[in-house]
């Protein structure tokens, strides 16, 4: 399964999104944004099947972009 | 020793806060948001959890808009210098602490609205002080000298009607009085964590509402957007330069839980009943003047008084050295408030009660004051 990254600025917001996903029983992990996307900002990594859900949570968790595949990195 | 200087800091903390401080120092002295490892994430989770608890206490819809600081002074400076940097006019009251007046004076363009002789602000006077270039109104929620509770909700309404930002100094009210940022229309809320909130020293914070645009005056590493030379423009990182005191913030979260469990209504009521007890005894003593209103609905658990012909700092020293009672004399970093209250010459003796004080503490102070006045008159050798 491929992973996607919800790119967020502050780590506290990333932790909150990860908690929200956990409440929905969706595994995720707070990681440094991979590649050179956003310096040492934080992202939430989860399964790519959650793309639509992340889009719907974008405003609330200030998701700047969703990196879908290795080619985005 | 009897500690009656809770307006400076709450010396006695709930046992759960001490435990939290110890445990988190041992296990969670971690640097939130520095690195992607588990400790960095754990730190961030702690920060977020305390922000959630505070957001609930102050009715803040987005906890990410709370930044942690080392005290209320830093939070006030961030809010004032961050809002007034453009040179806009600021309205303050004569009851403010120097942590408001000094940064405002540094900026220069301000009007100080006088409170009445009991320390109360008339919201209409604030309204009259509004100028075309006014950007901000600042008011303390409760005075650290007279204990007067200011009409915050009314002032918030005026600020909103005139499209101005409203900054409340909650150093003396957080954890004791109800604070609702929504209904009180507060845009910026500065608070100490170490006073009424019963958290550790070195804690405080600033809530920055959606309407407020701050220019951060402290910049540096935030663990985010590191590729940019400019400070992140998003909260809380915008105001979180440098390493945060994670164990203390964790313990502040524990303290907020204690406050919520106990209830601010109960805390306020208990502190007020001790203030009432003290006032009922010392108001009868010849030569003792109580400062501020005696209407208990309009004040908090801080009681200031003078003894005719005696220097307030000398009285405070005597109370400490001879009677084992810690109160604070002098001007309490709020000289303008003293000028307003007519106590600028000799200052006042301030007794400020906390949730862990007992009725016997108030009675001991009253007895000591009575004895001091008798000594002074030469009635007792
Ligand atoms: C009304 C008021 N504002 C601000 C402050 C500053 O608080 P801190 O000591 O947390 O910086 C105090 C402290 O006594 C205060 O009483």
């Amino acid at each position: 399964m491929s992973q996607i990254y919800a790119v967020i600025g502050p780590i506290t917001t990333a932790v909150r999104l990860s908690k929200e996903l956990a409440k929905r029983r969706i595994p995720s992990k707070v990681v440094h944004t991979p590649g050179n996307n956003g310096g040492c900002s934080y992202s939430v990594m989860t399964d790519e099947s959650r793309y639509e859900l992340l889009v719907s949570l974008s405003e609330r968790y200030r998701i700047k972009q969703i990196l879908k595949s290795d080619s985005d990195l | 020793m009897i500690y009656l200087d809770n307006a400076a800091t709450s010396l006695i903390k709930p046992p759960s806060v001490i435990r939290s401080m110890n445990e988190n120092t041992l296990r969670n002295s971690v640097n939130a948001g520095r690195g992607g490892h588990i400790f960095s994430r754990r730190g961030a989770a702690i920060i977020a959890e305390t922000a959630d608890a505070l957001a609930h206490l102050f009715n803040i819809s987005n906890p990410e808009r709370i930044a942690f600081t080392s005290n209320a002074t830093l939070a006030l400076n961030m809010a004032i210098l961050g809002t007034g940097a453009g040179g806009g006019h600021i309205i303050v009251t004569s009851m403010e602490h120097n942590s408001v007046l000094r940064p405002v004076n540094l900026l220069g363009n301000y009007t100080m609205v006088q409170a009445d002789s009991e320390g109360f602000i008339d919201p209409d006077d604030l309204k009259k002080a509004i100028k075309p270039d006014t950007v901000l109104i600042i008011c303390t929620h409760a005075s650290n000298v007279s204990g007067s509770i200011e009409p915050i909700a009314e002032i918030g309404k005026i600020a909103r009607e005139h499209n101005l930002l409203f900054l409340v100094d909650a150093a003396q009210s957080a954890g004791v009085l109800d604070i609702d940022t929504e209904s009180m229309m507060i845009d910026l809320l500065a608070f100490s964590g170490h006073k009424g909130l019963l958290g550790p020293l070195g804690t405080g914070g600033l809530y920055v509402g959606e309407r407020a645009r701050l220019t951060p005056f402290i910049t540096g590493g935030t663990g985010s957007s590191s590729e940019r030379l400019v400070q992140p423009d998003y909260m809380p990182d915008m105001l979180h330069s440098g390493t945060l005191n994670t164990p203390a913030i964790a313990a502040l979260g524990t303290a907020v839980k204690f406050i919520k469990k106990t209830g601010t209504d109960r805390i306020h009521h208990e502190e007020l009943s001790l203030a009432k007890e003290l006032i009922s005894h010392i108001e009868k003593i010849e030569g003792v003047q109580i400062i501020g209103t005696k209407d208990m609905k309009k004040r908090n658990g801080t009681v200031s008084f003078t003894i005719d012909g005696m220097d307030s700092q000398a009285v405070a020293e005597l109370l400490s050295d001879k009677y084992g009672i810690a109160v604070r004399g002098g001007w309490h970093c709020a000289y303008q408030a003293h000028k307003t209250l007519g106590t600028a010459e000799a200052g006042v003796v301030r007794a400020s009660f906390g949730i862990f004080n007992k009725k016997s503490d108030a009675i001991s102070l009253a007895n000591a004051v009575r004895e001091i006045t008798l000594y002074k008159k030469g009635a007792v050798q």
Side-chain angles (χ1 to χ4, degrees), chain B residues 7-8 71-74 76 97 99 140 142-144 169 171-172 192 194-195 203 328 350:
Chain B
N71 48 43
T73 301
L74 181 55
L76 288 162
H97 191 268
S99 52
T140 187
S143 163
N144 65 319
D169 175 358
Q172 294 298 332
S192 307
H194 62 99
K195 297 184 196 263
T203 57
R328 184 167 168 198
R350 181 186 73 182

Side-chain angles (χ1 to χ4, degrees), chain B residues 285-287 370-381:
Chain B
I285 303 174
E286 208 188 310
R370 186 174 300 109
E371 204 173 290
I372 289 170
T373 56
L374 291 177
Y375 269 121
K376 199 185 150 268
K377 282 202 294 191
V380 174
Q381 294 306 310

Side-chain angles (χ1 to χ4, degrees), chain A residues 8-16 19 29-32 36-42 60 62 64, chain B residues 32-36 40-41 44-45 47-48 51-52 63-64 223-227 234-237:
Chain A
I8 297 171
I11 188 171
T12 44
T13 317
V15 165
R16 285 176 201 284
K19 258 191 177 171
K29 197 176 171 201
V30 175
V31 294
H32 261 148
N36 198 18
N37 291 280
C40 50
S41 290
Y42 290 87
R60 188 141 139 238
R62 293 179 290 167
K64 291 186 202 157
Chain B
R34 304 298 192 272
S40 161
R41 291 200 299 267
I47 306 298
D52 285 351
E64 289 284 280
S224 52
S225 302
S226 297
E227 79 287 7
Y234 44 80
M235 287 287 290
D237 293 22

